[in-house]
């Protein structure tokens, strides 16, 4: 297990960091594909790459998910060569296809010693690779990330705004080829990214990331937050795919807000 963890750290240095994979349930390490349609969500699920919450509606879709959070101050001295992504988006929770439509920020410990904090904003239409934005993002900045869908244009609008420096990006994207993007889940997530070989990378020590002002809209226009009588809310707790130790956990939802807490790297 120690050798596998070291290999993942080395791979993180030498290969592209890839945030934004579908959720990988605990017990399926190294797999990109989320659980099949027969594995329905429960009140709490365990994952090796996601921590946070997902809203689901049986047979229904979502049209908006949005949240505001602060870019974390990474503790790279404690956890070198580690990586994290914090985002909002649709799909990828349970079932097929393996699409995820998402945007947010990446917070990594990189450099020759793996102790230099790097922050950047991005969006992704998985299975297509992420696109990193040129907007500058710093620790402590207030970020609002949103993904919405227009039935008129059949495109997703992905926006990340740095409320501190007032820089932002917005793009309109359709589904990747041969993907339907059903929008059957809407989630707010802290994630352990993978590298370009599909290996999960150790999670950066982000301390806590608090998501607030969370807004979700159903496909028929119903508005709410993560907790609503119109959809089901599932808590996602993250475990190491090698150690099986708990490495990230969300707090309870209060007034439409919650925080993800880092507990360990891998």
């Amino acid at each position: 297990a120690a050798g596998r963890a070291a290999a993942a750290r080395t791979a993180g240095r030498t290969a592209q960091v890839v945030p934004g994979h579908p959720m990988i349930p605990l017990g399926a390490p190294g797999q990109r594909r989320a659980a099949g349609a027969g594995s329905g969500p429960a009140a709490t699920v365990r994952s090796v790459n996601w921590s946070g919450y997902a809203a689901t509606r049986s047979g229904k879709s979502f049209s908006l998910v949005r949240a505001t959070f602060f870019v974390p101050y990474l503790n790279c001295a404690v956890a070198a060569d580690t990586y994290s992504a914090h985002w909002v988006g649709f799909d990828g929770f349970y079932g097929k296809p393996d699409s995820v439509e998402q945007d947010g920020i990446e917070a990594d410990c990189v450099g020759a010693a793996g102790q230099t904090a790097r922050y950047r904003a991005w969006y992704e239409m998985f299975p297509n690779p992420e696109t990193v934005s040129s907007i500058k993002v710093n620790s402590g900045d207030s970020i609002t990330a949103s993904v919405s869908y227009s039935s008129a244009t059949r495109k997703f609008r992905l926006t990340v705004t740095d409320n501190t420096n007032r820089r932002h990006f917005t793009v309109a994207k359709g589904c990747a080829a041969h993907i339907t993007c059903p929008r059957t889940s809407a989630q707010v997530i802290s994630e352990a990214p993978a590298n370009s070989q599909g290996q999960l990378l150790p999670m950066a020590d982000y301390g806590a990331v608090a998501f607030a002002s969370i807004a979700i809209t159903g496909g028929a226009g119903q508005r709410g937050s993560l907790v609503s009588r119109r959809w089901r809310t599932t808590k996602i707790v993250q475990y190491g795919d090698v150690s099986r130790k708990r490495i990230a956990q969300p707090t309870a939802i209060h007034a439409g807000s919650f925080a993800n807490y880092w507990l360990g790297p891998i």
Side-chain angles (χ1 to χ4, degrees):
R4 187 173 168 187
R9 288 187 174 89
T10 301
R13 289 189 182 191
T14 59
Q16 180 184 7
V17 178
V18 184
H21 283 72
M23 190 190 82
I24 305 171
L26 181 66
Q31 296 181 12
R32 285 190 168 189
R33 184 172 299 277
S39 302
T44 300
V45 297
R46 298 186 294 176
S47 168
V48 298
N49 62 332
W50 286 15
S51 174
Y53 284 92
T56 55
R57 304 178 71 213
S58 179
K60 303 293 183 180
S61 62
F62 293 93
S63 62
L64 169 73
V65 57
R66 181 178 64 239
T68 296
F69 59 96
F70 289 98
V71 178
Y73 290 88
L74 295 182
N75 191 345
C76 294
V78 168
D81 292 318
T82 52
Y83 307 83
S84 69
H86 310 273
W87 54 269
V88 304
F90 300 128
D91 295 326
F93 176 51
Y94 268 109
K96 301 177 183 179
D98 286 348
S99 62
V100 195
E101 307 82 47
Q102 58 197 148
D103 58 32
I105 65 108
E106 198 178 309
D108 307 323
C109 295
V110 296
Q115 295 186 350
T116 300
R118 178 186 66 186
Y119 305 96
R120 54 190 186 177
W122 56 277
Y123 71 87
E124 182 171 293
M125 297 289 293
F126 187 88
N128 288 340
E130 71 163 341
T131 297
V132 176
S133 169
S134 62
I135 72 171
K136 189 172 179 60
V137 175
N138 296 303
S139 55
D141 286 2
S142 169
I143 300 291
T144 298
S146 67
V147 180
S148 61
Y149 177 78
S150 169
S151 57
T153 63
R154 296 185 179 181
K155 288 189 175 182
F156 293 85
R157 182 181 176 91
L158 303 106
T159 301
V160 173
T161 300
D162 188 313
N163 303 307
T164 302
N165 62 30
R166 300 186 179 181
R167 299 196 67 185
H168 74 281
F169 72 78
T170 299
V171 296
K173 294 290 180 179
C175 285
H178 312 300
I179 298 294
T180 59
C181 301
R183 298 172 285 119
T184 52
S185 67
Q187 52 266 344
V188 181
I189 298 296
S190 294
E191 177 183 5
N195 62 25
S196 54
Q197 281 76 52
Q199 295 171 294
L200 289 178
L201 299 172
M203 178 68 99
D205 181 358
Y206 57 80
V209 174
F211 295 94
S213 301
I214 299 171
I216 294 176
T217 303
Q222 309 94 334
R223 295 182 180 182
S225 187
L226 278 171
V227 177
S228 172
R229 62 180 177 81
R230 298 183 176 93
W231 42 77
R232 186 178 188 180
T233 306
T234 302
K235 180 179 182 180
I236 306 166
V237 180
Q238 186 176 356
Y239 286 76
D241 68 329
V242 175
S243 68
R244 292 301 195 264
K245 294 180 179 179
R246 190 175 302 188
I247 62 174
Q249 178 171 316
T251 64
I253 300 169
H254 178 70
S257 304
F258 76 94
N260 277 322
Y261 277 85
W262 181 89
L263 301 175
I266 195 166

